[in-house]
Amino acid sequence: MDYEQFVKTVGQRIGQGAESAGRAVEATLQTLSERLSTEQSHDLMGEVPPEMMRLLYSESSPEPFDADEFLHRVAEREGVDLETADRHARAVFWALGQTVSPDEIAYLAADLPHDFAPLLEEARRRHIEIVPAGRFLDAVAGRAALDRAGAHRATEAVLETLAERITPGEVEDLISRLPVQLHAPLKRGVTVKATRMPVEEFIRRIAEREHVPPGTAREHALAVFTTLRESIPHEEFLDVTDHLPSDYAPLLPAS
């Protein structure tokens, strides 16, 4: 498709006119140019309209930032919040998948880290549904009788401790299924390998991080795990929880 059609496609995906869609395209592709290798950038430029080539061109060495930093840069360039930047970047990748060859998308995927998977799946026209952060936190708040700020503290404490307990690969998979606003605690908690701990230690760490009694931390853990089960595919939830010992059962929602 030509550039005008590309922008129109993005605009249809985000429900905005050409001006807003154009800003989303520029912010996303300029940021992508900072992340790609020179070779990959040049290959991609060979399959896009001329107006997009200037956005992808870069003489600098690639910067090895992750998907979270990618979205932060898009948000800053576009002057929008993170949730909007995520939605806009997904629309741009969707349009990119309709513009370049499947082989080029495969090369692009090989050049980017695992946590770019939700964006790359858009380019493959396979949408990954990510629950909005606000909806996740509101669900935790309702289950634990907390306000939004309290739900955010509880969620961060549980996710950071969970990241310590599971493998780095499982943390990466979880990051790819949750909104960017919930990635930070998972990244803080990730270790070289899973840290074995009994459930009492798991609860103690949550309580310490959240500054609440252990009994309250236990209730909050159940609220977060229940919301997590609703927010990610069933097989992903099983991957995260199946390796937890039997003494964690009271923290997990009934199947």
Side-chain angles (χ1 to χ4, degrees), residues 159-255:
L159 291 181
E160 184 171 351
T161 308
L162 178 62
E164 292 175 338
R165 179 59 186 79
I166 61 180
T167 67
E170 289 166 340
V171 175
E172 283 188 6
D173 289 342
L174 199 51
I175 284 173
S176 73
R177 292 293 185 172
L178 289 175
V180 65
Q181 295 92 329
L182 301 183
H183 291 180
L186 290 165
K187 291 181 176 181
R188 287 197 302 268
V190 71
T191 55
V192 175
K193 62 179 181 178
T195 303
R196 296 184 180 277
M197 64 181 88
V199 70
E200 291 81 7
E201 174 62 14
F202 188 84
I203 292 298
R204 186 195 68 77
R205 294 188 185 198
I206 295 172
E208 186 176 271
R209 288 185 166 115
E210 201 183 347
H211 304 293
V212 296
T216 301
R218 187 179 295 270
E219 295 172 1
H220 291 178
L222 176 59
V224 173
F225 273 115
T226 302
T227 305
L228 191 62
R229 185 185 66 175
E230 293 179 348
S231 302
I232 64 176
H234 182 64
E235 61 274 13
E236 295 284 352
F237 184 76
L238 290 181
D239 285 344
V240 169
T241 59
D242 269 1
H243 301 297
L244 297 177
S246 59
D247 59 350
Y248 279 69
L251 305 184
L252 305 178
S255 57

Side-chain angles (χ1 to χ4, degrees), residues 47-195:
E47 295 198 18
V48 299
E51 297 91 336
M52 292 167 62
M53 293 174 65
R54 65 176 179 82
L55 301 174
L56 290 165
Y57 179 76
S58 175
E59 293 183 344
S60 303
S61 299
E63 300 178 52
F65 51 77
D66 61 13
D68 285 3
E69 175 62 17
F70 179 87
L71 292 176
H72 275 92
R73 294 188 185 199
V74 172
E76 184 176 353
R77 280 195 165 103
E78 200 180 344
V80 297
D81 60 29
L82 272 178
E83 188 170 338
T84 301
D86 184 30
R87 184 165 55 88
H88 288 186
R90 282 167 171 263
V92 174
F93 271 78
W94 174 276
L96 197 61
Q98 294 183 308
T99 304
V100 305
S101 66
D103 283 348
E104 192 57 42
I105 295 300
Y107 297 144
L108 182 62
D111 203 48
L112 295 171
H114 176 76
D115 61 351
F116 277 77
L119 294 172
L120 291 163
E121 289 303 287
E122 296 287 349
R124 295 183 176 112
R125 292 185 283 282
R126 296 197 297 263
H127 180 68
I128 293 179
E129 186 67 35
I130 304 291
V131 64
R135 189 192 306 169
F136 190 104
L137 296 175
D138 285 345
V140 172
R143 290 188 168 102
L146 294 166
D147 59 17
R148 174 69 75 84
H152 191 263
R153 287 193 298 273
T155 299
E156 288 219 335
V158 174
L159 291 181
E160 184 171 351
T161 308
L162 178 62
E164 292 175 338
R165 179 59 186 79
I166 61 180
T167 67
E170 289 166 340
V171 175
E172 283 188 6
D173 289 342
L174 199 51
I175 284 173
S176 73
R177 292 293 185 172
L178 289 175
V180 65
Q181 295 92 329
L182 301 183
H183 291 180
L186 290 165
K187 291 181 176 181
R188 287 197 302 268
V190 71
T191 55
V192 175
K193 62 179 181 178
T195 303

